[in-house]
Amino acid sequence: MVLSPVRALDHIYQVSAEDHEVGTYIIFTGDGHFQSVVKYLIQKLGKKVIIYGVTNATSNRLKDVATEVCEIPAPEEVIHSRYQMIVDNLAYVFDHENIIPSFKSTVAAVARRNEMPEDEVAIALQEMLEKGLLYRKERRVEFNRTVKVLAANWDALIDAGLWQP
């Protein structure tokens, strides 16, 4: 149930007064106006209160009074972390001539190493190609055979804050 902050606060006070069996409240907000109700639930009623909020967007006052706080990264942070995993993999590959960094093998390696779904890595990798952070180039693997491999645009990665020389 999604309520306006005022209605949500009112609802929490009403439920806590009527239902004494609830031992833990989980509140999804970063709004500091919830500080009073969190203090009430913990100090007056002896309840556990867990706050879920977005990283760098959750009130410090609210975090200070909660029993527990779980901060969820903002979408940009998630994307940046996936990009960083891919860059770290390509930096490793750069020093290992025997590894052929195709799109598919890079997706598999990054997903396996970071224990994440391959489709999420593939989406991030495709975005990086579209943004010019990475590019494809031909690489000779045998006398008369070449394959397309991924290569890092190191200057663009530095500008994006994803690589430090």
Side-chain angles (χ1 to χ4, degrees), residues 28-29 38 60 89 102 104 109-110 120 139 163:
F28 293 86
T29 187
V38 170
N60 286 328
N89 182 76
S102 68
K104 188 175 179 180
V110 171
E120 292 181 16
R139 177 173 162 185
W163 183 253

Side-chain angles (χ1 to χ4, degrees), residues 91-112:
Y92 174 81
V93 168
F94 185 78
D95 292 331
H96 294 81
E97 283 282 322
N98 59 324
I99 299 174
I100 300 171
S102 68
F103 187 96
K104 188 175 179 180
S105 68
T106 300
V107 167
V110 171
R112 183 178 54 252

Side-chain angles (χ1 to χ4, degrees), residues 43-93:
Q43 295 173 0
K44 298 287 186 189
L45 302 181
K47 306 296 182 179
K48 180 178 180 180
V49 179
I50 303 170
I51 298 295
Y52 275 84
V54 175
T55 304
N56 298 322
T58 302
S59 162
N60 286 328
R61 295 181 332 187
L62 182 61
K63 290 191 292 188
D64 289 343
V65 297
T67 308
E68 187 177 327
V69 177
C70 297
E71 291 189 287
I72 303 163
E76 303 85 38
E77 292 176 50
V78 173
I79 291 167
H80 189 270
S81 72
R82 289 181 187 147
Y83 286 7
Q84 192 62 61
M85 292 172 196
I86 293 166
V87 171
D88 291 346
N89 182 76
L90 288 174
Y92 174 81
V93 168

Side-chain angles (χ1 to χ4, degrees), residues 126-142:
Q126 185 60 44
E127 288 175 5
M128 292 178 79
L129 284 164
E130 290 168 5
K131 291 179 177 181
L133 299 170
L134 306 176
Y135 62 96
R136 287 186 168 108
K137 68 178 186 176
E138 294 284 329
R139 177 173 162 185
R140 184 182 305 270
V141 290
E142 295 175 5

Side-chain angles (χ1 to χ4, degrees), residues 12-46:
I12 293 168
Y13 280 115
Q14 286 179 18
V15 169
S16 66
E18 296 169 3
D19 191 346
H20 300 289
E21 292 184 22
V22 175
T24 302
Y25 288 81
I26 300 173
I27 303 173
F28 293 86
T29 187
D31 189 339
H33 291 100
F34 283 79
Q35 175 190 9
S36 295
V37 75
V38 170
K39 284 171 76 172
Y40 171 77
L41 291 169
I42 294 169
Q43 295 173 0
K44 298 287 186 189
L45 302 181

